[in-house]
Amino acid sequence: MRFLPIFLDLKAGPIVLVGEGELVRAKLRLLISADAQVRWYATDGNHDVSGFDAESAASVERASGDPLKDDLKNVIAVLCAGAGDLGIAMASHARAVGLPVNVMDDLQHSTFIFPAIVDRGDVVVAVGTGGASPVVARRVRERIEAALPARIGDLATFIGRFRKVFAERIDEMPLRRRFWERVVDGPIGASVLAGRTGDAEKALNAIDDPEEFAGKASPGFVTLVGAGPGDPDLLTVKALRALQDADVVFYDDLVSAEILDRARRDAARVSVGRRIGKPGIGQDAINTLMIEAARVGQRAVRLKGGDPFVFGRGGEEIAALREASVAYAVIPGITAGMGAAAESEIPLTFRHQALRITLLTAHKARDAEAVDWSALTDTRMTVVVYMGISAAATIREGLLTAGRSPQTPVGVFARATRPDAKSVVGTLNELPALAAQVESGPAILVIGDVVMHSAPWRDAFLTDIVNNVRMAAE
Ligand code: SAH
């Protein structure tokens, strides 16, 4: 982020506008509709504002003389549009007295830029692209416009009117937040959004004990949330909601920073993950942290890579919560195998060809030796291996010894759904070499005929075939 969105108080002082022509009039229109106080230096002396209503036009201070001589006292920002070289000089003038300045279409001389704006009264959304693409900003704005209820501004105004009253009635900050969340999410908020502010006001005033309404007595809660394989857009709607609602997030090492970013801004974030070579705090300590958080009334999220119940120790965690009588819920996530499959177009089942899927873990060679490979020889079974990189050689041996063909297609999918995803495909015979090619993990191994349908397979081998045919033809 290069440009931080902030909101200027238009009541604090005038904005100085410098320039001429249609460009400056467009800015004038924006400023007038925002009720700004405007001091306008028309560089061509033409202060004509026909087309604006009389009252708005009257509110504009028409300044003459050299804007560079304006001492800019009390001015809150300077704007130049269609001002040519004077705009550049004005930018230095503004900067010399420490004022934010925008020279239209001139990033180099501007210290701020205009966002695309969604204006719903007290609710204002600013969308920026760092000046890169106004068209993209406008598209984002359209989506936000469509997603926001029409009266969202009324809801903010309504709450603003009562904030102080309830701040006096509810001592603790977190409880106050929860109070307003319940108001916004419940029937009172719905009444305002439906245009029935009177009803909403009555209902709000009828709340006898705001702390109880906020759920003071209600105990804490732990939600095990599947974070998916890495792409934050693969979070479920429920997962997102839980993250937005959390007081504290206990997250694993596999959880990407982009996903953690989706948690409520002021939620505490606690890393409890193991890392290769770093032991982490241990399962018992994780359980204790979750239980303690719930016991002090917090809404805790236990955020785990992929799905909590696929090689995620989710089962142990809820057992510990049950034993401690802590309420919990589980929100599934997209497990890494499915993320990799979708990304690389591997249908994990396929009519007549793959009738079963086995999810397997083989962390080290020692784990892999413990696997009963004879149960995995069915050629119509897709085997998806988690934590399998370090055991690739043992997996190969196990499957070959049990009788699976060395020509069985396999794929290694590292960092699936992340920006640095990498996949390699080949045969079971080559598995250890393939695993060595993906650099750092995490990675999933997929073993079975369905790998032949995958995009990496098509890229690697079908182009070869096409080339061979072409070469043979030539
Ligand atoms: N609960 C997780 C699995 C945790 S075990 C899930 O459902 O996905 C950790 C293993 O998951 C890693 O060793 C790797 O095999 C796999 N994994 C996790 N994220 C991955 C990703 N983005 N790409 C490939 N494999 C991944």
Side-chain angles (χ1 to χ4, degrees):
M1 191 197 312
R2 170 165 164 202
F3 293 92
L4 178 74
I6 52 172
F7 293 93
L8 274 183
D9 182 358
L10 296 171
K11 296 270 173 287
I15 291 184
V16 164
L17 183 64
V18 180
E20 63 192 61
E22 236 341 275
L23 295 178
V24 87
R25 284 177 175 78
K27 284 285 180 264
L28 201 57
R29 213 166 289 129
L30 171 75
L31 293 172
I32 287 176
S33 74
D35 264 344
Q37 311 161 46
V38 184
R39 181 183 306 156
W40 176 24
Y41 288 91
T43 42
D44 59 355
N46 177 4
H47 277 113
D48 178 30
V49 285
S50 48
F52 292 85
D53 69 70
E55 198 190 332
S56 313
S59 73
V60 177
E61 179 191 339
R62 294 164 175 75
S64 47
D66 185 355
L68 295 171
K69 299 235 165 69
D70 191 317
D71 66 6
L72 303 179
K73 209 158 170 235
N74 295 327
V75 166
I76 56 172
V78 175
L79 258 177
C80 307
D85 288 345
L86 183 58
I88 296 170
M90 200 58 203
S92 325
H93 182 43
R95 293 187 69 166
V97 292
L99 275 181
V101 58
N102 174 270
V103 183
M104 203 176 157
D105 286 335
D106 183 350
L107 265 186
Q108 194 194 338
H109 294 100
S110 300
T111 63
F112 76 94
I113 54 176
F114 274 92
I117 296 169
V118 178
D119 178 6
R120 300 275 171 91
D122 278 341
V123 173
V124 173
V125 184
V127 180
T129 57
S133 171
V135 173
V136 170
R138 276 202 296 277
R139 286 287 178 272
V140 173
R141 182 187 60 193
E142 283 160 19
R143 287 204 197 174
I144 295 173
E145 290 273 14
L148 288 181
R151 293 196 179 87
I152 192 76
D154 296 351
L155 184 56
T157 310
F158 174 80
I159 290 175
R161 271 169 52 208
F162 296 97
R163 275 263 306 268
K164 212 157 157 246
V165 178
F166 284 94
E168 280 157 16
R169 292 177 66 189
I170 308 171
D171 276 343
E172 287 170 50
M173 234 288 277
L175 211 53
R176 236 179 276 155
R177 177 168 48 78
R178 249 180 260 177
F179 175 82
W180 288 119
E181 280 169 2
R182 292 199 174 175
V183 169
V184 168
D185 296 337
I188 300 180
S191 294
V192 178
L193 293 181
R196 296 191 310 268
T197 310
D199 293 355
E201 187 163 347
K202 253 183 246 153
L204 191 67
N205 286 327
I207 295 172
D208 274 341
D209 184 343
E211 297 201 337
E212 190 202 308
F213 180 89
K216 182 171 195 185
S218 74
F221 194 82
V222 178
T223 312
L224 264 63
V225 176
D231 176 354
D233 284 351
L234 289 177
L235 283 168
T236 63
V237 175
K238 271 194 173 181
L240 206 54
R241 215 176 279 148
L243 282 172
Q244 289 289 318
D245 206 40
D247 296 310
V248 56
V249 180
F250 300 109
Y251 65 96
D252 275 347
D253 204 47
L254 270 179
V255 173
S256 68
E258 291 94 321
I259 287 179
L260 217 48
D261 261 0
R262 302 286 211 267
R264 198 166 59 78
R265 276 274 165 253
D266 43 355
R269 292 153 167 78
V270 184
S271 160
V272 296
R274 273 182 300 268
R275 215 177 269 220
I276 295 171
K278 252 177 70 184
I281 65 169
Q283 193 59 53
D284 288 346
I286 295 175
N287 295 349
T288 307
L289 280 177
M290 291 192 295
I291 292 165
E292 279 172 357
R295 287 206 171 134
V296 298
Q298 289 191 306
R299 284 168 299 177
V301 160
R302 172 76 177 103
L303 188 61
K304 304 165 82 70
D307 181 86
F309 284 171
V310 178
F311 307 122
R313 303 187 76 168
E316 290 164 59
E317 292 183 357
I318 62 170
L321 295 170
R322 261 198 316 272
E323 197 171 312
S325 304
V326 167
Y328 62 84
V330 181
I331 298 174
I334 293 181
T335 188
M338 293 179 138
E343 184 174 61
S344 292
E345 301 173 27
I346 313 160
L348 293 175
T349 64
F350 203 95
R351 251 157 65 92
H352 311 308
Q353 210 176 58
L355 310 182
R356 295 201 274 164
I357 308 168
T358 293
L359 304 186
L360 185 83
T361 178
H363 185 26
K364 297 212 171 76
R366 205 155 21 96
D367 286 359
E369 275 163 18
V371 175
D372 175 8
W373 300 106
S374 69
L376 302 170
T377 52
D378 178 358
T379 56
R380 286 180 300 180
M381 178 197 294
T382 306
V383 181
V384 181
V385 188
Y386 288 69
M387 296 177 268
I389 289 287
S390 60
T394 321
I395 294 167
R396 172 185 175 276
E397 288 318 308
L399 283 171
L400 291 183
T401 311
R404 218 157 164 172
S405 158
Q407 295 310 315
T408 306
V410 301
V412 181
F413 304 92
R415 306 174 295 279
T417 81
R418 301 183 184 195
D420 56 347
K422 179 164 181 183
S423 55
V424 287
V425 291
T427 62
L428 178 57
N429 208 23
E430 302 162 328
L431 185 59
L434 298 174
Q437 280 176 38
V438 296
E439 289 131 33
S440 62
I444 282 284
L445 316 180
V446 181
I447 302 165
D449 288 348
V450 288
V451 173
M452 273 194 288
H453 297 283
S454 72
W457 188 279
R458 292 197 306 267
D459 287 348
F461 299 115
L462 295 190
T463 33
D464 279 1
I465 293 173
V466 172
N467 286 340
N468 288 345
V469 170
R470 196 177 293 144
M471 271 172 1
E474 284 165 4

